[in-house]
Amino acid sequence: QVQLVESGGGLVQAGGSLRLSCAASRTIFSINAMGWYRQAPGKQRELVATFIRGDTTNYADSVKGRFTISRDNAKNTVYLQMNSLKPEDTGVYYCNIVVGLARSEYWGQGTQVTVSS
């Protein structure tokens, strides 16, 4: 089992920045993917940014050039730096990890990001 704990959400004005963190409860091997998803009210959960099979990154078109995903393997932590935030970035942001041959998937509890206009 892996526990993922997110932090860093909050309320920010449009154009502002936030940095999200996701700490895993233990060192994880055989990571297939690790990153961030978000869910806005009334909408489906969507991919924001993720590492795939090592250092390859994948971003949603809507956040390219504004968000940056990074990680610190020594701290078992992945980050999401969000700049130039827009009201449409509002939602609950979830950390996600997929591990092993069985592709076991784990989710954090989510952290709320609210961007005011």
Side-chain angles (χ1 to χ4, degrees):
Q1 278 286 353
V2 178
Q3 281 76 48
L4 302 174
V5 179
E6 301 107 333
S7 60
L11 173 64
V12 64
Q13 288 189 331
S17 299
L18 285 173
R19 188 192 193 206
L20 305 183
S21 299
C22 171
S25 57
R26 61 175 176 85
T27 300
I28 303 169
F29 302 98
S30 300
I31 296 175
N32 296 301
M34 186 172 187
W36 295 92
Y37 288 70
R38 68 186 178 191
Q39 187 166 18
K43 294 188 177 181
Q44 289 188 329
R45 193 173 297 187
E46 62 176 358
L47 180 144
V48 176
T50 189
F51 285 104
I52 302 174
R53 293 183 296 277
D55 294 331
T56 301
T57 56
N58 185 32
Y59 290 92
D61 288 342
S62 60
V63 307
K64 285 180 180 177
R66 300 188 297 122
F67 291 10
T68 303
I69 189 171
S70 63
R71 64 189 179 191
D72 185 334
N73 291 331
K75 295 182 179 179
N76 303 321
T77 300
V78 64
Y79 304 96
L80 185 67
Q81 178 66 43
M82 305 185 294
N83 298 328
S84 302
L85 282 161
K86 304 175 181 180
E88 51 264 43
D89 294 318
T90 294
V92 179
Y93 283 67
Y94 296 92
C95 184
N96 170 271
I97 187 167
V98 180
V99 300
L101 293 175
R103 299 188 63 82
S104 300
E105 189 170 29
Y106 301 93
W107 293 92
Q109 81 284 357
T111 185
Q112 177 70 44
V113 171
T114 303
V115 184
S116 63
S117 58

